Amino acid sequence: MPPTTTTPTTPTAPAYARRDRFDPAAELRRLTAGRAVTAIDVGPGTDGVPVWLVTGHAEVRQVLGDHRRFSTRRRFGPRSPSGRADGPRPDEMAGQLMDYDPPEHTRLRQILTPEFTVRRMRRLEPLVEGIVTERLDAMERGGPPADLVRSFCSPVPGAVLCELIGVPRDDRGGFLRRCHAFLAPGRGRQRRAAAGDALSRYLADMVRRARRDPDDGFLGALVRDHGDEITDQELRGVCVLLVLAGLDNVSGMLGLGTLLLLDHPAQLAAVRDDPGAVDGAIDELLRYLTVPHAPTPRTALEDVTVGDRLVRAGEHVICSLPMANRDPALLPEPDRFDITREPTAHVAFGHGVHHCLGAALARMELRTAYPALLRRFPRLAVAVPGEEVPFRVHALAHGVDRLPVTW
């Protein structure tokens, strides 16, 4: 197994977003010192209002499951020159489920849920299998070495996203470039904002076309089935949400998961050769890696006791999903990776009314991609020393920037 190295971070990196390779950062564990709820400093933008980091599994489920006392609508963040919090404007929040509280959230979720049922996702399975095969064929033609992130981990969820929302094939390269520029943390706020504006304009054009001539795709179905129940701004926002949730999270899981399995050859062989082991492996990979750092911060609407701490009305709460999934109260030896475990009530997809809408799609992508990759390249190996694999820094989801491989 390659030596464990610490992912580089800067002093401004949020404490809850720091990792040591596959694990929550040692400094984060020291900060919380075994406590389920800890006061933290997230920098300017909170106007002196306390911020609590929740890391216990039961306590995270309590916060995420209590939408009546914890709001996702009330945001905080660094102040812009105009003085407003650096968060989305109200028109930018349209369609962003994670920024909606009930009853608005309930209305929009009920509209969207039928498009993401397990049954609907199964209909997409042959399409996903075709995308995975196409990417593996291209890798094989190109020959080793290859960057698995660029060749496979990023293109697979990108192509699935384009198929899901109906991006024309000729537009997909430009569309995905806008998406990745919008998500790239190292590009600077102004460049990311410009990329976000370009992405928003493109999606607005797609929505207008769907209104004029709805097809059988995702947007067309929403327009036909719900008409005036959902606004153009909400349709655009839903697509942005799919970009946020469907690209970095899945690509992060594919890259990290492959690297982790290569560190555990016996478990890799089970994923490659035993179809009955795959679902359990996906569940354990999701729990162990938990690529999202935290869901949308919550703001307490009244005084609430969380763990042994009193969170007062108006105070902010951040829930660490990776720490919650490594809580010894959830399962024995939580820092051990074991695909034979019984599935647990992990929170890799969140919990409560904001549980990830696309969870079934993400599972299906992972369930398809890992075995296919490992069967196609049974001699797959990392092409550089383990300490030279660069991990993402300051990204919304954990992952590797590059993964040089050979076979």
Side-chain angles (χ1 to χ4, degrees), residues 122-133 159-160 163-164 169 172 364:
R122 283 177 180 157
R123 293 180 188 172
L124 286 175
E125 198 157 358
L127 176 66
V128 173
E129 289 172 353
I131 288 169
V132 167
T133 298
V160 172
E163 290 284 355
L164 180 66
R169 282 195 172 270
R172 290 181 182 182
M364 187 256 285

Side-chain angles (χ1 to χ4, degrees), residues 152-383:
F152 186 74
C153 304
S154 181
V156 166
V160 172
L161 173 69
C162 288
E163 290 284 355
L164 180 66
I165 65 176
V167 179
R169 282 195 172 270
D170 290 346
D171 290 354
R172 290 181 182 182
F175 174 77
L176 290 172
R177 281 192 293 274
R178 294 186 190 99
C179 291
H180 290 301
F182 173 54
L183 294 171
R187 291 177 62 89
R189 189 175 300 169
Q190 288 186 334
R191 293 180 69 187
R192 287 184 65 200
D197 287 343
L199 176 62
S200 184
R201 288 193 299 271
Y202 182 86
L203 292 171
D205 287 340
M206 283 188 63
V207 169
R208 282 192 289 270
R209 291 197 299 269
R211 285 285 188 196
R212 289 195 306 267
D213 184 20
D215 58 18
D216 294 331
F218 175 73
L219 287 175
L222 290 176
V223 168
R224 278 198 320 277
D225 295 345
H226 300 283
D228 295 338
E229 296 176 60
I230 186 166
T231 68
D232 286 2
Q233 291 77 16
E234 286 177 328
L235 287 168
R236 181 197 62 193
V238 167
C239 291
V240 172
L241 176 62
L242 294 175
V243 169
L244 292 171
L247 284 182
D248 273 7
N249 286 342
V250 177
S251 69
M253 277 297 304
L254 287 174
L256 276 181
T258 301
L259 185 61
L260 178 62
L261 289 168
L262 289 170
D263 280 355
H264 295 79
Q267 299 191 64
L268 180 151
V271 173
R272 182 188 64 216
D273 301 330
D274 180 5
V278 174
D279 283 343
I282 299 304
D283 203 70
E284 175 70 348
L285 285 160
L286 287 164
R287 178 201 70 84
Y288 190 83
L289 296 173
T290 312
V291 297
H293 305 300
T296 303
R298 268 54 172 175
T299 300
L301 301 179
E302 59 184 74
D303 292 358
V304 188
T305 298
V306 181
D308 61 355
R309 299 297 184 114
L310 177 64
V311 179
R312 297 193 179 277
E315 295 179 348
H316 307 302
V317 178
I318 295 172
C319 293
S320 171
L321 301 182
M323 288 287 285
N325 284 340
R326 297 292 190 94
D327 186 347
L330 172 63
L331 74 173
E333 299 183 85
D335 291 321
R336 178 171 59 85
F337 174 62
D338 181 3
I339 66 171
T340 67
R341 291 184 192 271
E342 289 297 318
T344 61
H346 65 70
V347 290
F349 289 116
H351 178 65
V353 298
H354 289 282
H355 183 270
C356 178
L357 186 65
L361 176 59
R363 285 181 181 274
M364 187 256 285
E365 290 182 65
L366 300 175
R367 188 173 62 245
T368 303
Y370 285 126
L373 170 68
L374 300 175
R375 285 194 298 267
R376 178 69 69 96
F377 303 117
R379 297 181 181 274
L380 190 72
V382 181

